[in-house]
Amino acid sequence: GPPKELGDCDPRRVFCLTINPSELRRIRTARLERSGAAKFGEATGQVSTYADRGYLLQDLANAKRVAEEGGYRVIDVTA
């Protein structure tokens, strides 16, 4: 869930960023590759779910839920 401190903020001063799932997956995949996590996963057989479509769709849904429940503005940053 969101940090407890978020509940102390004026909702008019809080905004949530969102992005197209395909773009988010591209960004996360690139991050994994740059960090070496992809090679680590190949070597150990441990696959990260960080760029998995289902996982990131859940992340986006959770962010949307937090924004709706808190009455926060949502800004789509998809390029």
Side-chain angles (χ1 to χ4, degrees):
K4 294 182 297 185
E5 296 81 7
L6 194 56
D8 298 333
C9 296
D10 179 348
R12 296 171 298 177
R13 299 185 63 136
V14 178
F15 57 91
C16 294
L17 303 179
T18 191
I19 192 167
N20 176 285
S22 297
E23 183 68 11
L24 181 57
R25 187 168 192 214
R26 184 191 64 75
I27 291 168
R28 288 185 174 190
T29 298
R31 284 181 183 161
L32 285 173
E33 290 171 356
R34 279 195 307 271
S35 73
K39 289 182 182 178
F40 175 79
E42 291 171 8
T44 63
Q46 297 176 344
V47 179
S48 172
T49 59
Y50 180 67
D52 178 73
R53 183 167 174 77
Y55 183 81
L56 66 88
L57 288 174
Q58 188 63 47
D59 277 352
L60 291 170
N62 288 339
K64 181 179 179 182
R65 179 185 49 76
V66 168
E68 288 173 351
E69 289 175 0
Y72 308 133
R73 187 174 353 164
V74 177
I75 300 171
D76 190 333
V77 297
T78 304

